[in-house]
Amino acid sequence: MIALPGVPSLRSSFYRIYPALSMLVLLGLWHIAANATASATLPSPSAVLTVLAGEVRSGNLFHHLGATLSRLAVSFVLAMSLGSALGVLLGRHPHLDRFFDVWVMLFLNVPALVIIILCYVWFGLGEAAAVTAVVVNKLPNVVVTLREGTRALDRNLLEMAESYRFGRIKTLRHVIAPQLFPFFVAAARNGVALIWKIILVVEILGRSDGMGYQLHLFFQLFDVAGILAYTIAFVGVIQLIEWAIFQPLETRAMRWRR
């Protein structure tokens, strides 16, 4: 088939509807399975939508969603800031990297649940302990990603910056930062995916609000429709963040390859 200039081909147009078609198939299968089982443990999409609408009208969804997103934002900023700085530092200084590598590997392999429990035991069931637990769990991943990115820096560009006497700030801004940007975006994208899952556990164990707390409450009531309603709402918000922020950033980070 010959595509005319400026006119999208039939195949490309068909590919664009794949996501919507896939979602419709999923909803259809869900509806069929719910009707076939006729059980409260597998509510239909319409039942879940009814619960979701009720939570929106009451304001409960916005309250708990806002609490979780605020913890996610604070934890994300702290983990990315500290992790990026430490990753660049270890990548630029082999002796420090050699010394602290054991620490990084240790925190990478400590279960998230253990860190959450220890933070609550040491610092109490407060907001600071919750955020600290999330940051400590995410920090090693950011350090490793940025450390590998720093190790992959183009040495010729660094030597050129030194020859032209750029200085530390100018070298960081014009030579190091552009090369590390793809690694930073990768760490950020993975960070959001990991942090929000850890936050749910943190909220289940020691907070009185948030998506995790509400999911735990629905679990105690065996309210599967409520669990699915809050899950769909939160996943939708995370997907919106992915489309609006991380996909444009990834496109920008990979622009130099084109």
Side-chain angles (χ1 to χ4, degrees):
M1 180 180 297
I2 301 175
L4 298 176
V7 178
S9 66
L10 181 61
R11 179 177 295 180
S12 63
S13 300
F14 189 67
Y15 281 164
R16 290 194 185 97
I17 69 172
Y18 269 7
L21 182 61
S22 176
M23 184 59 65
L24 288 175
V25 171
L26 176 61
L27 290 174
L29 292 175
W30 179 5
H31 180 75
I32 293 171
N35 288 337
T37 57
S39 172
T41 58
L42 183 59
S44 65
S46 59
V48 174
L49 184 61
T50 300
V51 173
L52 181 59
E55 292 295 309
V56 170
R57 286 194 299 269
S58 67
N60 288 335
L61 178 64
F62 296 116
H63 169 72
H64 293 292
L65 182 60
T68 298
L69 288 178
S70 64
R71 294 183 184 114
L72 187 149
V74 173
S75 303
F76 176 80
V77 170
L78 290 175
M80 290 301 300
S81 301
L82 294 173
S84 297
L86 290 174
V88 172
L89 183 66
L90 296 183
R92 294 282 289 164
H93 299 281
H95 293 292
L96 288 177
D97 181 35
R98 181 75 172 176
F99 182 84
F100 287 107
D101 183 64
V102 177
W103 294 28
V104 175
M105 292 299 107
L106 176 65
F107 280 99
L108 271 175
N109 291 287
V110 173
L113 183 60
V114 173
I115 295 176
I116 294 169
I117 293 174
L118 289 176
C119 286
Y120 277 145
V121 170
W122 290 338
F123 307 120
L125 298 176
E127 200 67 32
V131 172
T132 300
V134 178
V135 172
V136 172
N137 274 296
K138 175 55 187 171
L139 192 62
N141 300 86
V142 182
V143 171
V144 169
T145 302
L146 270 297
R147 181 181 65 180
E148 296 306 314
T150 304
R151 288 173 176 174
L153 290 175
D154 191 329
R155 300 298 174 184
N156 293 327
L157 293 177
L158 293 174
E159 291 175 1
M160 181 196 69
E162 185 178 355
S163 300
Y164 282 93
R165 299 180 182 179
F166 272 20
R168 292 184 178 180
I169 301 299
K170 195 173 182 180
T171 300
L172 178 63
R173 180 180 177 184
H174 296 286
V175 179
I176 296 178
Q179 296 184 70
L180 289 182
F181 186 65
F183 294 91
F184 182 85
V185 172
R189 168 179 274 177
N190 294 333
V192 170
L194 176 63
I195 285 174
W196 78 261
K197 296 172 185 175
I198 297 174
I199 287 177
L200 294 185
V201 180
V202 168
E203 291 174 343
I204 288 174
L205 293 179
R207 304 309 303 139
S208 59
D209 58 3
M211 301 294 288
Y213 168 81
Q214 198 69 359
L215 289 173
H216 182 57
L217 179 62
F218 285 131
F219 167 71
Q220 292 177 323
L221 298 174
F222 293 96
D223 188 350
V224 179
I227 293 174
L228 292 176
Y230 270 71
T231 301
I232 290 172
F234 195 57
V235 169
V237 172
I238 296 299
Q239 189 62 52
L240 182 62
I241 294 174
E242 168 73 17
W243 286 336
I245 298 176
F246 290 118
Q247 286 189 2
L249 284 177
E250 183 182 36
T251 301
R252 180 181 176 185
M254 299 302 171
R255 188 181 301 166
W256 63 275
R257 292 187 175 182
R258 299 177 181 176

